Amino acid sequence: MAEPKEKAIQEKKAVLPGKSNFSEWYNELLLMAEIMDVRYPVKGLYVWFPFGFDVRKRTYAIIRELLDKDHKEALFPLLIPENEFMKEAEHIKGFENEVYWVTHGGKNELDVKLALRPTSETAIYPMYKVWVRSHADLPIKIYQIVNTFRYETKHTRPLIRLREITSFKEAHTVHATWDEAAKQVEEATRIYQEFYRRLAIPTIVSKRPEWDKFPGADYTMAVDTLMPDNKTLQIGTAHHLGSNFAKTFDIKYEDINGEQVLAHQTCYGISERSIAALISIHGDDKGLVFPPEVAPTQVVVIPIIFGKSDDVVTACRDVARRLKESGIRVELDESDERPGAKYYKWEMKGVPLRVEIGPRDLKNNVATIVRRDTGSKDTAPLNDIEIEIKKRFEMVHDSLYEKAVKSLEGRLIDCSTLDEVKEKIPTGIAKIPWCGERDCGLSMEEAVGAGILGIPEGKLGTGNGTCPVCGKVTSNIAIMAKTY
Ligand code: P5A
Ligand code: ZN
């Protein structure tokens, strides 16, 4: 079965377009670096190459690690009966145009149509009704990692806007009180920020305007990042569901006084947009750049050979073996290609560190280490190579994060008028005072042709100014941007 892959390689362009041409760079890189094959013959559905899947596996291992501390992983069915799906009025309104329906089993028309989950509230909550009995059952914190289907009508893009989201991590929690659920929403955004910190991706957390919240929620907190083309990408959301779903799905618990009380719920989700952000934010003109934790290969060892260099080869094999023994994912490239061709290949794949050993290094009992992220070179004693490599992993991670933070902060633009916002939005995220009123917010969006993401948490969302629509004095700063 080697044939399809060989064909894929032949059809790839020889050179990667520059990252300044982001959209083309992104599409070509996915194929050249073997993340996703975009040639599957259904719009909005794409194929994970084994290499891309490896990155996915490592990325999702982090989110699992973070959630497993106090959540349980479970698995609910893909198909949702129409009657359950149609119970929550707001929720249906939000999703009815995006649902794929299964109407037939073979040649027989089904009595009850089945929805392919666009998200799993209506698959999970009928079961929560059965599971929740008493206050002693609460809280419940369950997540699953599944595929979901959304018939998206906006322009579809690999990893960013999919019709089959293959890597939908959705958590669903149940609590006794509204306040406890609110705390859980905070905890969810904290977990997501920690997750993105591990990927060296900077984030902005804000409360979505009420017209942009999740269908059926009391409110929505969103995690956004800024892409190279100055559009923001929503890379996670956490919703306070109040007891809206508890009412429709009859999820009640008996409190300490023996009363039946409606439960309060939250849900929060992340998709493979996390990997789109990872690739887009760190990648460069030469290809992928990964933080070591998620890099499929963390170190490549390349012998620099002049004529017959048996000693060099032996030293390289020894280093590769020792790195492997200390738990590092290492490749030894002993192929016949010239070093330049090897560099090109491993740079494309985002390998964080390249270890070169030539006759002169060997004489000095050192290895040359080249960083993928900066291209900088230095040497390290062969005796301590494991420690030296691990030290550099941390340096690479920290400097990728710092660079990404600088890049984002450099594109946060203070504005005081809507004209200014409109002018500046093609270059980043505009900050503008906003009184918080719905009418003013909607006029602002209309006037600049871009969305209000929200009023960010913390310093970013506070300042002094006047609402550009009603002129009221306010200390709220909203952020506006073009969004994916
Ligand atoms: C939370 C989990 C939900 O569906 N139900 C369970 C809630 N929220 S959401 O905002 O609609 O989606 C969660 C995150 O998934 C990403 N996302 C997508 N990724 C790729 N392709 C899509 N078509 C797509 N739709 C949503 C977003 O990051 C979103 O925040
Ligand atoms: Zn106003």
Side-chain angles (χ1 to χ4, degrees):
M1 287 304 287
E3 204 196 325
K5 194 174 155 203
E6 276 160 25
K7 209 170 150 221
I9 290 162
Q10 275 167 25
E11 286 173 17
K12 278 182 213 164
K13 282 205 185 150
V15 243
L16 184 65
K19 196 183 177 185
S20 54
N21 191 347
F22 175 67
S23 179
E24 229 183 275
W25 173 88
Y26 180 74
N27 286 327
E28 282 304 322
L29 178 59
L30 290 182
L31 195 59
M32 284 180 79
E34 299 187 311
I35 301 285
M36 306 292 298
D37 199 323
V38 300
R39 293 167 298 180
Y40 190 75
V42 178
K43 183 177 153 69
L45 276 56
Y46 308 94
V47 177
W48 287 98
F49 280 114
F51 180 76
F53 202 74
D54 196 335
V55 177
R56 176 195 185 271
K57 205 160 55 188
R58 297 183 195 287
T59 305
Y60 277 69
I62 299 175
I63 193 75
R64 272 203 169 88
E65 178 200 315
L66 296 175
L67 289 173
D68 284 346
K69 289 175 185 167
D70 71 337
H71 295 62
K72 299 267 184 230
E73 187 170 358
L75 191 56
F76 290 79
L78 164 66
L79 299 173
I80 304 173
E82 185 177 19
N83 53 312
E84 296 293 354
F85 188 76
M86 291 302 189
K87 268 184 187 158
E88 217 291 327
E90 287 299 315
H91 191 67
I92 311 159
K93 259 198 275 163
F95 281 105
E96 66 187 348
N97 292 324
E98 293 186 8
V99 177
Y100 287 90
W101 288 102
V102 177
T103 57
H104 286 77
K107 286 183 181 157
N108 298 325
E109 199 172 327
L110 299 177
D111 293 336
V112 181
K113 280 201 294 179
L114 300 168
L116 294 187
R117 60 181 166 219
T119 168
S120 302
E121 284 73 10
T122 59
I124 295 175
Y125 301 168
M127 300 312 297
Y128 277 4
K129 170 188 161 71
V130 180
W131 292 354
V132 174
R133 284 279 150 261
S134 112
H135 62 91
D137 298 328
L138 302 179
I140 292 177
K141 298 182 192 180
I142 285 178
Y143 76 93
Q144 63 175 0
I145 300 175
V146 296
N147 58 346
T148 58
F149 293 83
R150 295 185 182 184
Y151 184 73
E152 295 277 1
T153 47
K154 272 172 97 178
H155 183 62
T156 54
R157 273 174 218 276
L159 303 175
I160 291 176
R161 178 161 284 103
L162 306 160
R163 286 186 170 174
E164 181 185 5
I165 309 172
T166 68
S167 316
F168 198 62
K169 190 292 297 165
E170 50 176 327
H172 295 267
T173 70
V174 190
H175 308 266
T177 66
W178 196 94
D179 287 349
E180 277 171 46
K183 281 228 177 67
Q184 189 61 34
V185 170
E186 267 175 41
E187 171 66 3
T189 57
R190 190 202 60 74
I191 293 171
Y192 286 178
Q193 283 170 282
E194 187 177 346
F195 169 63
Y196 283 113
R197 184 70 183 74
R198 295 266 288 266
L199 300 179
I201 294 172
T203 52
I204 298 174
V205 177
S206 66
K207 189 177 189 174
R208 281 281 183 265
E210 142 251 330
W211 61 89
D212 201 18
K213 67 185 186 189
F214 185 68
D218 277 0
Y219 66 87
T220 288
M221 299 300 298
V223 179
D224 294 286
T225 195
L226 185 57
M227 296 286 267
D229 59 355
N230 301 326
K231 290 202 269 184
T232 58
L233 184 65
Q234 176 185 299
I235 48 177
T237 35
H239 316 289
H240 194 310
L241 302 178
S243 39
N244 307 330
F245 284 87
K247 254 176 238 152
T248 35
F249 287 93
D250 191 32
I251 305 171
K252 287 186 186 141
Y253 67 94
E254 190 179 284
D255 71 7
I256 36 173
N257 306 317
E259 303 276 339
Q260 290 292 311
V261 185
L262 280 175
H264 295 80
Q265 292 176 272
T266 81
C267 64
Y268 32 103
I270 272 190
S271 77
E272 54 258 60
R273 280 188 182 182
S274 52
I275 293 165
L278 177 73
I279 289 169
S280 304
I281 288 174
H282 303 312
D284 65 16
D285 288 352
K286 293 177 176 172
L288 297 169
V289 176
F290 285 125
E293 188 173 9
V294 290
T297 300
Q298 297 173 302
V299 175
V300 58
V301 180
I302 298 182
I304 308 297
I305 295 169
F306 299 98
K308 203 165 119 47
S309 314
D310 290 348
D311 295 356
V312 166
V313 172
T314 307
C316 284
R317 286 181 188 163
D318 185 49
V319 163
R321 181 187 50 78
R322 279 168 48 203
L323 292 179
K324 193 171 170 193
E325 278 169 9
S326 74
I328 292 166
R329 296 187 290 276
V330 57
E331 292 278 347
L332 172 63
D333 191 344
E334 283 194 72
S335 67
D336 294 333
E337 280 174 298
R338 289 158 21 85
K342 293 182 184 178
Y343 300 166
Y344 174 85
K345 171 179 158 190
W346 297 106
E347 281 169 352
M348 175 64 71
K349 293 284 192 188
V351 179
L353 297 177
R354 183 170 84 221
V355 172
E356 301 171 6
I357 303 172
R360 190 147 41 120
D361 296 309
L362 200 54
K363 220 175 73 197
N364 298 329
N365 212 20
V366 297
T368 298
I369 304 178
V370 186
R371 274 171 62 169
R372 171 65 182 90
D373 63 325
T374 56
S376 64
K377 257 186 199 192
D378 69 348
T379 55
L382 281 173
N383 293 337
D384 296 331
I385 195 75
E386 298 96 333
I387 298 164
E388 293 286 335
I389 291 286
K390 286 179 180 166
K391 233 169 38 193
R392 281 167 184 75
F393 281 169
E394 279 180 32
M395 286 160 58
V396 167
H397 182 98
D398 291 347
S399 83
L400 280 175
Y401 183 65
E402 277 163 32
K403 190 174 159 206
V405 167
K406 268 205 191 115
S407 164
L408 189 155
E409 285 176 350
R411 290 179 289 158
L412 286 171
I413 309 150
D414 286 309
C415 299
S416 50
T417 67
L418 290 174
D419 282 344
E420 230 180 311
V421 172
K422 195 169 179 178
E423 186 198 321
K424 295 291 164 66
I425 260 179
T427 64
I429 298 174
K431 296 169 62 187
I432 176 98
W434 174 38
C435 67
E437 290 298 327
R438 180 190 174 96
D439 288 347
C440 292
L442 290 171
S443 318
M444 286 159 70
E445 290 190 339
E446 166 112 22
V448 303
I452 294 183
L453 300 180
I455 297 163
E457 288 189 334
K459 219 170 58 197
L460 187 56
T462 41
N464 292 306
T466 54
C467 173
V469 181
C470 68
K472 227 185 268 162
V473 174
T474 176
S475 60
N476 291 336
I477 305 294
I479 49 171
M480 300 187 76
K482 290 268 188 205
T483 57
Y484 268 95

